[in-house]
Amino acid sequence: VLIDAASRGELDRRADASDYRGSYVEVIGGMNAMLDTVSGPVQESMSVLSRMAEGDLSASMSGEYQGRFAELKANLNTTVGSLARTVSRIREATGDVTSNSGRLNSMSLTMSSNAEQTTRETQDVNQASNQAAQNVEMVASAAEELATLLDGADGAVDCASSAEAEAACVDA
């Protein structure tokens, strides 16, 4: 019964040595002692793993063990420490990513704002350029009209000069 329970993982079951006589009392007592020795580190390692599953990465085995149980303790404690350092580095990296994401977002907003301002200023320059082109056309048109008027005035002056010269000849 005791061996069957142990093979099913029921390490906390013990046989009552008082139910036996002779050398069986010593055998049952030895089996109970062996189960006590095995169940201690198994129970402590299960407790550590349970705490780890809940997110407690400060858990570790602290019992005094020998042989393979000492190896179990060392390996489990090393694994917990390594996992804690890895999680810490992941948290730091996550913080860096979050911080850099904020910076990138800020830079993106600044660039967007600068692009919008550049677009507005380009539109203003375009409008001013169109206005300048219209002003140049108006000045050119006015200059043509002035040139036409001046040509007409030159003809009138010439005509007036000719008429004055003819009048002087007639008077003489």
Side-chain angles (χ1 to χ4, degrees), residues 24-162:
Y24 288 111
V25 171
E26 195 174 304
V27 170
I28 296 299
M31 290 178 69
N32 284 340
M34 182 178 62
L35 285 171
D36 288 339
T37 301
V38 169
S39 69
V42 169
Q43 290 296 331
E44 188 176 11
S45 64
M46 287 173 47
S47 174
V48 169
L49 291 170
S50 177
R51 288 175 56 194
M52 287 176 58
E54 293 172 2
D56 181 2
L57 298 181
S58 67
S60 65
M61 289 181 70
S62 60
E64 294 296 323
Y65 303 109
Q66 297 176 2
R68 301 292 284 186
F69 297 123
E71 288 179 40
L72 172 65
K73 173 185 171 182
N75 289 338
L76 184 58
N77 289 345
T78 299
T79 299
V80 172
S82 178
L83 184 59
R85 286 187 298 278
T86 299
V87 168
S88 177
R89 285 191 295 250
I90 289 170
R91 284 185 181 144
E92 288 175 22
T94 300
D96 290 347
V97 167
T98 300
S99 174
N100 288 336
S101 174
R103 285 189 203 125
L104 286 174
N105 187 38
S106 175
M107 290 168 74
S108 175
L109 291 174
T110 299
M111 290 175 67
S112 175
S113 174
N114 288 345
E116 288 174 9
Q117 179 150 357
T118 300
T119 299
R120 284 192 301 273
E121 289 173 357
T122 300
Q123 289 171 346
D124 290 347
V125 167
N126 190 30
Q127 269 185 328
S129 176
N130 287 340
Q131 186 63 44
Q134 288 175 355
N135 291 344
V136 167
E137 287 178 22
M138 286 175 52
V139 167
S141 175
E144 283 180 23
E145 284 181 39
L146 182 61
T148 302
L149 287 173
L150 287 176
D151 280 345
D154 278 346
V157 168
D158 285 345
C159 191
S161 292
S162 293

